[in-house]
Amino acid sequence: MLTALIDYCQSLVCRCAKHSHSHFYQYVLGRKMPIRLLYIEDSVDTIQMVKLALESEDFEVIPARSGLEGIQKILQEKPDIILLDIMMPGFNGYDVLKALKQKPNPLPTPIIILSAKTAQEDIDRAMAYGATDYITKPFDILLLADRLRDRLNQ
C-alpha cells in the first residue's frame, strides 16, 4: 500500500515537472491545487473584483497594493503567475518589470499586464521589460482567467 502511494506521488511529480510554472494541473492525493496569482494593483475595488471572480475559477489571489509590496511578495510567496497594473503611484508597473529583469536569476514566472494604458508604445515598452502578455482594461473576467491559464501552459 505504501509503495503504491509513493509510486503515485512520484508520477505526480513527473507530470507536474512538464508544467514548470503552474499548479493548475498539480494534484496532491487527488485534490487539484489552486493557481497562485499575485495581483499587484493599487485600486482596492479592482483587487476585490478580480479576486472574487478568479477565486471561483480555481485561482488563489494574493493582493499587493504597490510595486514595492509586489516585489516583496514575489520573493516571499513564489506565485505561479503575476498580474500587474502599470499606473501606480511611486514604484509603478514598469519599475517592477525592470527590477525583476535586473535580478541575477530572473524568475520564470509569467507576468501579465492588466492596464488601462492602451497605446501601442505602452504595450511595446511592457513587453520589452519582460511582460509575457498585455491585457487592457476594461476586460472580460472569464477571458482573463482563460488567458492566465494559457500563459501558464506555454
Side-chain angles (χ1 to χ4, degrees):
M1 178 78 160
L2 183 59
T3 305
L5 181 59
I6 291 170
D7 289 343
Y8 174 71
C9 290
Q10 287 175 335
S11 74
L12 289 176
V13 169
C14 290
R15 276 188 276 163
C16 291
K18 294 177 186 174
H19 303 283
S20 59
H21 305 302
S22 174
H23 287 258
F24 184 65
Y25 292 106
Q26 183 175 356
Y27 289 81
V28 176
L29 299 178
R31 293 187 58 196
K32 183 170 38 169
M33 301 298 295
I35 298 167
R36 293 175 43 83
L37 177 135
L38 175 63
Y39 186 22
I40 306 171
E41 164 69 64
D42 60 319
S43 166
V44 176
D45 292 337
T46 306
I47 290 172
Q48 287 304 102
M49 179 189 67
V50 168
K51 183 175 170 72
L52 183 65
L54 288 180
E55 285 181 346
S56 69
E57 294 289 320
D58 294 324
F59 286 84
E60 174 189 347
V61 178
I62 304 159
R65 298 225 15 243
S66 71
L68 290 176
E69 182 185 355
I71 294 286
Q72 291 170 341
K73 286 194 175 182
I74 288 167
L75 301 173
Q76 292 169 350
E77 301 286 343
K78 307 280 193 271
D80 298 312
I81 192 163
I82 299 165
L83 194 57
L84 175 64
D85 185 27
I86 293 293
M87 296 185 294
M88 294 181 286
F91 205 74
N92 66 35
Y94 294 128
D95 296 328
V96 171
L97 289 168
K98 287 189 282 189
L100 292 174
K101 192 172 185 177
Q102 291 173 356
K103 284 181 49 88
N105 297 314
L107 299 172
T109 309
I111 302 170
I112 313 304
I113 302 299
L114 183 62
S115 178
K117 294 175 86 65
T118 60
Q120 188 61 48
E121 56 266 14
D122 293 315
I123 296 168
D124 292 343
R125 183 176 175 195
M127 300 306 274
Y129 287 154
T132 310
D133 201 353
Y134 197 106
I135 301 169
T136 57
K137 296 176 186 174
F139 57 94
D140 179 310
I141 198 70
L142 294 177
L143 292 177
L144 174 64
D146 288 343
R147 290 269 290 273
L148 293 169
R149 283 191 194 95
D150 288 346
R151 286 298 171 191
L152 281 168
N153 292 321
Q154 288 185 341

